[in-house]
Amino acid sequence: MGFKEGFLWGGALAANQCEGAYLEDGKGLSVPDMLLGGDVNTPRTFCPQTVEDAFYPSHDAIDFYHHYAEDIKLFAGMGFSTLRLSINWARIFPNGDDEEPNEAGLEFYDKVFDECKKYNIEPLITLCHYEIPWAIVTKYNGFTDRRVVDLFVKYATTCFKRYKDKVKYWLTFNEINCATIGEDTAPLYGLGMIDRDLLNATEPITFDKFKYDSQLRFEALHNEFVASALAVKAGHEINPDFMIGNMICHITWYPYTCNPKDMLACQEKDSMFNDFCGDVQVRGEYPEFALNYFRKNGIDYSFITEEDKAILKEGTVDMYTFSYYMSNCVTTDPDVETTGGNLIGGAKNPYVKASDWGWQIDPDGLKYTLKKLSSRYPGLPLMVVENGFGAFDKVEEDGSIHDDYRIDYFRSHIKAMREACDDGVNLIAYTTWGPIDIVSAGTGQLAKRYGFVYVDRHDDGTGDFSRSTKDSYYWYKKCIESNGQDLD
Ligand code: BG6
């Protein structure tokens, strides 16, 4: 038992967090280019005008744009059989609604995919990893405008046609369920929507100023479901062998106590955060609990037209993919201590440890989630497309980096996946986040390092972008060589 033969092992990156070259070769601005850096105690800020001398982490990121060949060679050195990357939409359609795609942008990804193929690395490509072109935000208010569905489908179709012989595995929207969170930057990142007043700001704004209309937010999410389904359908017409998946930020929720009220609150959270979007994309219809949520919260869901219902049914995904970093607890007691998390935090679990960013380390939660998904969507191939440990790394005098904490994290999570496979879960791939240090999406930090490969780049903008391997690099290589058996 354990991992199947041909299991795909690799790592995952997002264009905006690694490429840099933010205006090179005709690329337009995208949402992350408008965000300044922060840290664990200081939220990132946003400014629609460029703030001079400020540090924008995505503008140079780790300069993957010019280092891709070196980086892919390093990944091949660990034995990767897949690499998850995203295409930055604004590299292909700089303004989102351009008549013709930007050839230089298309050529860049040709080169990247060819480099992967050289080492038999199968690209796994996210079409939109929070990289909505900024012009789509200013001109259309993102997916709140139905015309953006067509713009996305045109972009997706352009990519499918161009790379049909180079890419088999595709994901439509990264963590589409982040749009169910009505705060912070989640709807801006995920849907490209923003309060119109904020577009006039000339100074950096903190996220507590972000206010989103729930009606509009769920309409925008619906448009994104439709865009995703139309893309799936178009992709299959272009190449019937394509495997096209959704991508959900999955957070395992536990009731903080056995108080039945906690259990009910937990069920609600699990349904609306984890299951809602997956159900729409896998089953092709809104689950009853989501419609009930709309009714109870005064959301008029007449935007789900008969025509759209047919589109959702025709564009169901071929596989379910998700990110998993941690679990969180749900409580109805306002006095319980809370902790941070990916997109959202929760009540602190006394039984597990946490990272320096408060993300709770819980491999059993991953096993639980895999088994839950396997019975929710029987037979559907599953991929864990993000899982990793953000930590401060220390470079020793001789240049070595002893990241045992990261190895521990991966060891326990891979073991949990293996156990789930033993229990019959149809898991086909695992891509760690991120195999090389990159910009953190949540805090904008480079100091929050995830990689097996270290990058000399820092939050004050210093560093020469040189790459070096950490202890975990050799550990993961061994793990891959043994198809996940050797975890010592
Ligand atoms: C996921 C995102 O939610 O979490 C990634 O898809 C992100 O883009 C990752 O980088 C880790 O979060 P962070 O905030 O540590 O970068």
Side-chain angles (χ1 to χ4, degrees):
M1 293 294 276
F3 299 101
K4 291 177 205 296
E5 220 187 293
F7 187 84
L8 294 169
W9 292 96
L13 298 167
N16 74 89
Q17 292 171 257
C18 70
E19 284 176 4
Y22 82 117
L23 291 177
E24 215 165 307
D25 292 334
K27 177 181 166 292
L29 290 167
S30 69
V31 168
D33 296 327
M34 316 310 290
L35 292 175
L36 294 91
D39 60 42
V40 66
N41 301 311
T42 330
R44 305 185 71 173
T45 48
F46 154 85
C47 192
Q49 321 292 332
T50 305
V51 184
E52 270 191 38
D53 298 330
F55 182 59
Y56 285 87
S58 74
H59 289 190
D60 296 314
I62 59 153
D63 200 29
F64 178 81
Y65 196 77
H66 300 107
H67 289 75
Y68 70 89
E70 177 187 354
D71 293 343
I72 293 170
K73 188 173 180 198
L74 280 162
F75 301 150
M78 279 182 278
F80 279 22
S81 45
T82 188
L83 178 63
R84 177 177 172 227
L85 296 165
S86 67
I87 295 177
N88 196 321
W89 185 350
R91 250 187 227 296
I92 310 302
F93 289 99
N95 300 295
D97 59 1
D98 313 71
E99 207 47 53
E100 295 299 326
N102 171 31
E103 180 56 29
L106 289 166
E107 274 171 21
F108 170 67
Y109 294 105
D110 266 323
K111 288 188 283 183
V112 170
F113 302 153
D114 289 345
E115 203 63 25
C116 288
K117 288 283 167 191
K118 197 162 124 187
Y119 301 102
N120 288 323
I121 295 175
E122 196 70 58
L124 163 60
I125 301 306
T126 318
L127 286 163
C128 188
H129 193 125
Y130 301 148
E131 286 128 356
I132 296 180
W134 181 242
I136 286 189
V137 178
T138 54
K139 192 165 165 192
Y140 299 91
N141 201 13
F143 277 88
T144 65
D145 190 321
R146 182 73 182 206
R147 287 174 297 175
V148 175
V149 171
D150 298 335
L151 298 179
F152 177 78
V153 176
K154 179 174 170 184
Y155 157 64
T157 308
T158 303
C159 296
F160 291 151
K161 285 189 178 152
R162 175 79 173 216
Y163 308 121
K164 70 178 179 355
D165 300 321
K166 297 183 182 183
V167 177
K168 171 180 176 173
Y169 297 100
W170 297 90
L171 309 179
T172 52
F173 292 94
N174 184 64
E175 298 185 335
I176 193 166
N177 58 324
C178 80
T180 62
I181 307 167
E183 314 145 11
D184 214 289
T185 44
L188 171 63
Y189 260 40
L191 301 167
M193 70 183 282
I194 193 168
D195 194 334
R196 301 283 88 187
D197 288 351
L198 298 182
L199 292 176
N200 303 321
T202 49
E203 294 291 320
I205 302 163
T206 51
F207 299 156
D208 53 343
K209 307 280 185 313
F210 284 60
K211 302 275 176 287
Y212 300 98
D213 177 82
S214 293
Q215 177 70 39
L216 208 54
R217 183 162 55 86
F218 282 108
E219 278 183 43
L221 176 58
H222 174 73
N223 288 339
E224 212 163 75
F225 287 145
V226 172
S228 174
L230 287 169
V232 171
K233 194 167 172 243
H236 287 150
E237 279 159 14
I238 292 165
N239 184 346
D241 290 338
F242 279 172
M243 290 279 287
I244 310 177
N246 63 343
M247 200 293 200
I248 301 289
C249 171
H250 206 292
I251 297 177
T252 304
W253 299 101
Y254 303 126
Y256 185 70
T257 68
C258 51
N259 178 341
K261 297 281 183 241
D262 280 1
M263 188 63 208
L264 285 171
C266 184
Q267 184 182 45
E268 171 92 13
K269 192 103 183 175
D270 196 28
S271 301
M272 279 310 286
F273 186 74
N274 288 325
D275 296 334
F276 160 37
C277 298
D279 282 5
V280 174
Q281 295 185 295
V282 172
R283 297 175 174 158
E285 59 187 32
Y286 276 69
E288 193 50 42
F289 64 76
L291 301 180
N292 190 40
Y293 174 92
F294 290 161
R295 284 190 287 271
K296 283 208 303 214
N297 289 278
I299 311 283
D300 169 7
Y301 56 90
S302 55
F303 50 77
I304 313 174
T305 61
E306 290 306 315
E307 193 192 348
D308 286 355
K309 283 183 190 168
I311 293 172
L312 295 179
K313 269 284 177 213
E314 283 176 2
T316 55
V317 290
D318 305 313
M319 56 194 190
Y320 179 106
T321 87
F322 66 104
S323 60
Y324 176 86
Y325 291 89
M326 62 194 197
S327 60
N328 258 323
C329 297
V330 182
T331 177
T332 44
D333 177 351
D335 297 326
V336 170
E337 192 185 346
T338 57
T339 188
N342 187 17
L343 303 171
I344 22 176
K348 197 165 187 291
N349 185 339
Y351 298 100
V352 299
K353 295 199 174 109
S355 76
D356 289 330
W357 282 259
W359 295 25
Q360 304 188 121
I361 305 165
D362 179 15
D364 291 328
L366 176 55
K367 180 174 171 183
Y368 171 88
T369 294
L370 282 164
K371 293 181 74 165
K372 178 191 128 173
L373 292 171
S374 175
S375 56
R376 193 171 189 89
Y377 310 122
L380 194 70
L382 304 176
M383 288 185 175
V384 176
V385 293
E386 283 186 35
N387 173 241
F389 191 62
F392 295 107
D393 287 333
K394 180 166 174 270
V395 185
E396 305 294 339
E397 273 184 22
D398 64 356
S400 57
I401 298 158
H402 305 303
D403 55 343
D404 302 353
Y405 36 88
R406 188 168 291 112
I407 294 174
D408 287 346
Y409 181 93
F410 284 124
R411 178 184 292 120
S412 59
H413 285 76
I414 293 172
K415 187 164 171 285
M417 290 191 304
R418 198 169 69 193
E419 287 168 8
C421 291
D422 286 343
D423 288 344
V425 168
N426 186 17
L427 183 65
I428 62 166
Y430 175 64
T431 56
T432 67
W433 187 265
I436 184 168
D437 295 342
I438 43 173
V439 173
S440 154
T443 64
Q445 284 173 290
L446 286 136
K448 187 180 187 187
R449 296 180 180 274
Y450 281 91
F452 304 118
V453 176
Y454 181 87
V455 179
D456 183 39
R457 176 69 170 166
H458 308 280
D459 292 321
D460 57 3
T462 60
D464 63 7
F465 296 103
S466 60
R467 276 64 170 150
S468 55
T469 51
K470 308 180 192 178
D471 287 357
S472 55
Y473 181 93
Y474 303 96
W475 181 87
Y476 194 43
K477 179 177 176 1
K478 211 157 48 86
C479 163
I480 294 177
E481 254 163 28
S482 66
N483 199 25
Q485 292 306 314
D486 185 354
L487 301 179
D488 292 341

